[in-house]
Each structure stands twice: as structure tokens, then as C-alpha cells.
Amino acid sequence: MTDSYTPGGKHLIAGEWVPGASTFRSAPATGPAHDYAAGTGADVDRAARAAEDAFWSYGYSTRAERAAFLNAIADEIEARGAAITDIGSRETGLPAARLDGERGRTTGQLRLFAARILEGAYLDRRHDEALPDRKPLPRPDLRLIQRPIGPVGVFGASNFPLAFSTAGGDTASALAAGCPVVVKGHPGHPGTGEIVAEAILAAIGKTGVHPGVFSLVQSNTREAGEALVQHPFIKAIGFTGSLGGGRALFDLAARRPEPIPFFGELGSVNPMFLLPDAVAARGTAIAGGWAGSLTMGAGQFCTNPGLAIIVDGVDADVFQNAASEALGEIAAQTMLSDGIAGAFRQGQCRIAETGGVTELVGAGSEGRNAAPYLYTVSGETFLANPALAHEVFGPLGILVRVRGEDEMLSIAHALEGQLTCTLHLDESDAPLATRLMPVLERKAGRLLANGFPTGVEVADAMMHGGPYPASTNVSTTSVGTLAIRRFLRPVAFQNMPQALLPADLV
């Protein structure tokens, strides 16, 4: 494979590269723009029908066959590694090292899911043996297993062109479950989506699975996305994106004649609660760590810790000064797209114009670049302005200085659902932490102690989701092996002859 990639600009539908009746032009951070097919409802219909046709074989394939397919996709992505990094960096402005790491995460989760489905524990098999002599009524033989739900629609994410897009976590977990996938590509990185689709097509050829098992429909408008959510052959949706866009699609999925599950990751400010003794002992170090986490990748992570709550006083002054100094030394970074940069500036203006908010750091942002911003506000003002707790996607933090433990607890109660909540504490902070823990457990899917939430491990025990608006389904994760369960449904078999049972139940 070469180190560069020139995209063809077509959809991949059921094994064929398909041109569009119209096109849109990419807007890369560097290098030449390219034209891409603009997906329509007709394109989505063709892809969804192919996915339904593929389900009759792929949905009933063996776990070994699906694992081989997932591993083949990982192999083909790795074979195109340098070219993927090249086009991905040009389109998004992300540095090569970040994309190399994200590619490793993408192939790693494909291989992890392959290993887990081979083990079979995800099937949650249960068997209640018949009790024909039980009184007053006999019990039938009951066997239960998780079965694939059907074709799945996946929306590529703006901030993870690999790990949450074409062959990312949603696609990998759906394919592991036995569900064909139709991806609506993200217009911010269509070339990256295309080369990864090329890798999946090569894996289809090597393993002999039905070509309808995967399609990529490129799009820069709402038409293809809305058609995907509403198509009768699509039985679930995986989405990572904005609260506004995700909620609109969620509502669309609910209004279908046959409503379907919409697994959306939407928004989170990932609050950190800085407990007094920890701040007194190591506030400067915590402030430096916060600055690094807050600005990592220009703040374009769903786990970006945009909110810190601290008890007012001298130690809070030290922390505030240290955070301001650390953030003031961080240069502007390129954002993923012009649209994201514009939304960041709008969010920053919204915070700055709120009464009672003081700007501590604000070098200014221009064009597609974003510099860090830091604001401070009293706990009373924060509680009176719920919009201060809404996500600003980018390197912006708010330090909330509360009057005491009770006001800190009031802020915890007032928060909406989050992906993460963090406690920075020492052993002597245990009484306050004990008061906070039941509240935070109800607010977030992942609770951290003395760390920073950026960096989500792909593992069996990972939970990446939370109460709304962090996600649309509080009981599921979009990262880790539990993600496979989103695209399965339990089926019970009563007194079924062994010859008719699924192979995994025999």
C-alpha cells in the first residue's frame, strides 16, 4: 500500500462502488478538496435492502465465521495504515500520532470483539429443564439465548474518524452480534470513511460473507440520515454526535410505525468535584492535569472535563491561578471542521455573556483554530443558570467556586446525566465523598477517582454512556464488549426439538 490515498468519491453499496446523482466537496484542514457522492433516500434504500438480504445468511452464521470477518477487517485496516493516517490527517487536522493511535484502537476493538464472541458468554444462555411431574402444573423445557436484532444503521462521528466511524465501535459491535450495517458517512472526513470501507470490502472478499453485510453512503445533508433512521429494514441505530442532531433523530426513530432503539451518545460536561484536602495537598498538580485533559485534541472529546467544582477559599485561589497559568501556555489547535469551530465560538460567547461569569483565560479563536478559555463563577450563579452546565465542544472550562460542602452537593443534585463524574480526593475527604457518591452514581455511567476522564479504555468492564442527555439509553455502552448487547434481543425456545434450536444452544 502507498502512503497516500486519492479517494474515488463514491458510495460503497453491497460490494459495488456507486456514483451519486449529485456531489458535495470536502473541506480538508490541509491539502486538496475532493468531490463525493451525495447520498439520497434511494441510495439508503438500496443499501438497507442489501443488508436485509445479507441478514438471512450473516445473522445465522457461526461465531467463528463472524470472528474471522472482524479479524480480516482489522488486518485490512492495518495494511492501509499509512494511507489512512495521510487522508485522515489532511481532512481533520488531527496529528499523525493521534490517528495512528486511534487506528490501533479501532483494530484492537475489532479483534477484542472477535475474541469475545468466540468465548460465547455474551449470548447469556439459560436453560430451565422441563419438570413434567411438578404440581400443580408441569414446567416446560425453556432455553433462552441472545439473537441478532437485524440490520443496523450507524452514523459516523465527527471527532473520531476511525474509532467511532466507518469501522468503529458501533459497526464492530453490530457485526459481532450478527447484524449487517449501513453507515452514513460523516462529511467532515469522507475520504477516511472511503478508505476504511475499501478495507471492509477487501475483508468481505477474503472471507466470502454476503456483500450486503456492509454499505457506506456518503452524505452532507439530512436526507440520507433521516432515510436511514426511517427505513423499515433498519432495526436499530448507533449515533455519536450533538445533542440537537441526536435528539431529532431519536424522535424520528420513535415516531416510526415500528419504533426502533436509538443508541445515541449526545453530550456531557463530565464534572470534576475537587474535595478540600486533595486541593490543599496537590491542587497545583490537579490544575495542571485538568489543563492537559481539557485541551487534549483541542477539547474535542466527549469525555472532556469542562466543569470543576471547588470550595471557595485560599486553596481555590491557588488552584485557579495554576489552572490559568497552565492553560495560558497552550497554543491554539486546529479543530475538526469549520462547523465545529463555529459552534465552539458560539458556545464560548454564550458562556462569556452570562451574568456573573468571569473570564480568566481567553486568547481568542479564529477560523478553524481554537485556543483555551477558562471562566469562573460562584456556585449560586451556576445554580441559577442551568445553561452553564451545557456542553461546549472544545477547550473551554468553567471553575465553579462553592460556599461549602452543602452547595457542592446541591450542584451534584442539579446536574443532568453525564458520561463521567470525577472525584479528586484524599483519604481524609471520605466523609464528603461518601455524601456525593450516591448522587454521582445516579448522574453518570463512569465514576473516577483522582484521574481525568479523557481516554476511554476498550475493555469488558467499560461503561461509556449515562443518563440523558449523555446518552439515549441509560443501560447501554458504546465502548467495550458490553456494546455488542445493544444489537441483540433475547429469544426463548419452549419444548423446541433440538434439531430446530440455534446451533449455539445445542
Side-chain angles (χ1 to χ4, degrees):
M1 298 292 174
T2 63
D3 290 353
S4 63
Y5 181 73
T6 301
K10 298 178 180 180
H11 309 300
L12 175 62
I13 300 178
E16 298 180 5
W17 294 103
V18 179
S22 61
T23 61
F24 68 94
R25 175 149 285 208
S26 65
T30 60
H34 297 279
D35 291 328
Y36 293 87
T40 64
D43 296 317
V44 170
D45 178 66
R46 179 176 174 183
R49 290 181 181 278
E52 174 69 8
D53 189 46
F55 183 69
W56 296 110
S57 57
Y58 189 75
Y60 299 88
S61 60
T62 67
R63 288 179 281 133
E65 288 169 337
R66 295 200 301 279
F69 181 43
L70 293 174
N71 283 321
I73 295 173
D75 290 343
E76 294 296 333
I77 289 173
E78 289 171 349
R80 293 161 175 77
I84 289 173
T85 295
D86 171 66
I87 185 69
S89 183
R90 283 189 278 127
E91 288 187 320
T92 66
L94 293 172
R98 153 70 194 274
L99 285 165
D100 288 344
E102 190 182 330
R103 188 179 70 253
R105 172 175 170 169
T106 304
T107 57
Q109 64 193 6
L110 284 161
R111 298 192 191 282
L112 176 63
F113 291 169
R116 289 300 175 267
I117 62 173
L118 286 175
E119 291 174 358
Y122 79 103
L123 294 169
D124 193 17
R125 288 171 283 204
R126 305 180 184 207
H127 183 202
D128 293 309
E129 294 184 0
L131 298 175
D133 298 325
R134 190 182 68 174
K135 304 298 182 182
L137 294 172
R139 185 177 75 184
D141 183 86
L142 289 167
R143 298 172 186 261
L144 182 141
I145 190 172
Q146 302 289 330
R147 301 295 288 159
I149 198 170
V152 171
V154 170
F155 284 73
S158 63
N159 59 333
F160 279 89
L162 299 174
F164 275 90
S165 289
T166 309
D170 288 340
T171 296
S173 53
L175 292 175
C179 299
V181 173
V182 178
V183 172
K184 202 287 285 183
H186 195 282
H189 43 77
T192 310
E194 182 182 307
I195 190 172
V196 174
E198 179 185 282
I200 298 174
L201 179 60
I204 289 171
K206 284 188 174 181
T207 58
V209 302
H210 191 297
V213 76
F214 175 84
S215 292
L216 169 68
V217 177
Q218 303 278 24
S219 172
N220 70 329
T221 67
R222 292 184 295 185
E223 179 183 352
E226 291 176 352
L228 184 61
V229 171
Q230 295 179 98
H231 200 284
F233 285 149
I234 297 297
K235 300 304 180 185
I237 295 290
F239 175 90
T240 298
S242 69
L243 175 58
R247 181 54 195 257
L249 293 171
F250 173 82
D251 291 344
L252 202 61
R255 290 198 302 267
R256 286 176 38 147
E258 177 203 3
I260 59 172
F262 183 94
F263 300 107
E265 181 198 309
L266 306 183
S268 182
V269 293
N270 304 294
M272 302 192 311
F273 291 81
L274 314 177
L275 305 197
D277 289 347
V279 174
R282 48 197 168 83
T284 298
I286 297 171
W290 184 35
S293 182
L294 188 68
T295 58
M296 182 185 296
Q300 298 169 116
F301 289 94
C302 50
T303 51
N304 185 33
L307 195 65
I309 301 97
I310 193 170
V311 176
D312 202 7
V314 174
D315 291 333
D317 291 338
V318 173
F319 178 90
Q320 178 176 300
N321 291 337
S324 298
E325 182 178 352
L327 287 169
E329 296 175 353
I330 297 174
Q333 301 175 69
T334 303
M335 300 200 82
L336 291 159
S337 70
D338 294 326
I340 289 174
F344 173 68
R345 287 193 292 273
Q346 291 176 2
Q348 177 265 318
C349 289
R350 171 176 60 80
I351 300 298
E353 293 169 0
T354 302
V357 172
T358 300
E359 183 177 281
L360 301 174
V361 177
S365 298
E366 295 181 356
R368 197 160 161 172
N369 293 326
Y373 287 84
L374 179 63
Y375 297 91
T376 187
V377 64
S378 69
E380 181 181 12
T381 299
F382 182 85
L383 287 168
N385 294 273
L388 291 175
H390 293 172
E391 180 185 32
V392 177
F393 193 64
L396 184 149
I398 300 176
L399 181 64
V400 183
R401 299 178 62 139
V402 300
R403 289 172 294 189
E405 295 183 3
D406 288 345
E407 192 166 67
M408 181 177 281
L409 197 65
S410 294
I411 286 176
H413 277 287
L415 289 170
E416 295 182 313
Q418 305 292 328
L419 293 171
T420 73
C421 287
T422 299
L423 289 170
H424 285 275
L425 73 162
D426 279 356
E427 187 175 348
S428 53
D429 288 312
L432 175 54
T434 300
R435 296 178 68 194
L436 284 165
M437 278 296 289
V439 184
L440 301 187
E441 185 179 320
R442 294 189 66 185
K443 298 293 182 177
R446 177 163 60 110
L447 305 181
L448 296 83
N450 296 326
F452 299 93
T454 42
V456 183
E457 186 71 23
V458 181
D460 291 327
M462 178 51 66
M463 173 61 184
H464 189 63
Y468 184 85
S471 60
T472 57
N473 191 313
V474 72
S475 62
T476 63
T477 179
S478 60
V479 177
T481 56
L482 190 62
I484 300 171
R485 289 289 298 270
R486 295 175 298 170
F487 306 118
L488 299 166
R489 63 185 184 90
V491 179
F493 299 86
Q494 181 171 326
N495 291 335
M496 191 62 62
Q498 191 173 65
L500 297 180
L501 289 171
D504 285 323
L505 266 180
V506 175

